[in-house]
Amino acid sequence: MNPRVLLGINIDHIATLREARGTRYPDPVQAAMVAEEAGADGITIHPREDRRHIQDRDVLLLKEVLQTKMNLEMAVTEAMLEFAEKVQPECVCLVPEKREELTTEGGLDVEGQEARVANACERLARLGSEVSLFIDPDPAQIDAAARCGAPVIELHTGEYAEAVGAEAAEVAFNVLVDAVTYARKKGLIVNAGHGLNYHNTERVAAIPGINELNIGHAVIARAVFCGLKEAVRDMASILDRARGRA
Ligand code: PXP
């Protein structure tokens, strides 16, 4: 049987809902525990520079209670590197960050700032964190990620997820497949994420060589109607189906 694709659940938008009113609820810590119970293999959080959703308190509490692993998404800044050194997460994913964006737009330009990214990778590896670089499915960025010494990349699936029409989706999907093959040949572990939902995930999960998918918005959105446990389980069963396990 093919190995299962791992499911990382991004719980940022539980915190978005809390911050919309400045209340104590809903608590992302509670969400993480429910997601783990429902089969998530890891919990992803992204404390942004403006702390618009995840707060430092969430990260510190999650570090105490998670039973799977924390994947801390963060910008390549001195402040965030120092924060990661305090938290010591199991995994760190370096992402680009622009203050005005709604969500992470495009991958990290590793090629354009190689020395800075390589230095961050080295600092984080010293903590024992597994470092991943969130990049576009572009061979030049994959080459640069490998040169930086990151053991893992996360391919940005936004082009595929947001493609308009079947033809554009097919083109973007093939770019992803080629990128996974290319990166695996270089010995990188390949994760993917962004914009994945209940309709477009199965194909991505079926790409040979994909290790983990990180999914947030669609799962939290579905949870409004059916509860978080069911929403996570539904996504986990899509991943199982993709690898012929269900
Ligand atoms: N992976 C990374 C690196 C991201 O920045 C995001 C968005 O925060 C995701 C995965 C999840 O994307 P979505 O919320 O669209 O599922």
Side-chain angles (χ1 to χ4, degrees), residues 10 12 73 93 95 103-104 134 154 193-196 214-217:
N10 181 317
D12 289 350
E73 281 183 21
C93 180
V95 300
T103 179
T104 314
F134 185 50
E154 179 171 329
H194 197 92
L196 296 177
N214 283 306
I215 308 180
H217 186 263

Side-chain angles (χ1 to χ4, degrees), residues 73-101:
E73 281 183 21
M74 55 176 252
V76 192
T77 62
E78 182 54 33
M80 283 312 301
L81 284 165
E82 284 173 19
F83 186 58
E85 280 162 354
K86 180 169 155 193
V87 176
Q88 306 201 328
E90 288 80 6
C91 306
V92 173
C93 180
L94 297 178
V95 300
E97 200 174 293
K98 286 192 229 106
R99 201 171 264 265
E100 66 281 7
E101 69 192 357

Side-chain angles (χ1 to χ4, degrees), residues 8 10 12-13 44-46 48 53 71 73 93-96 103-106 132-135 154-157 161-162 192-197 213-220:
N10 181 317
D12 289 350
H13 294 308
T44 296
I45 40 177
H46 181 184
R48 297 181 73 99
H53 40 53
N71 178 29
E73 281 183 21
C93 180
L94 297 178
V95 300
T103 179
T104 314
E105 292 166 2
S132 131
L133 303 179
F134 185 50
I135 56 173
E154 179 171 329
L155 294 174
H156 195 305
T157 49
E162 285 148 31
H194 197 92
L196 296 177
N197 60 38
L213 297 179
N214 283 306
I215 308 180
H217 186 263
V219 173
I220 306 306

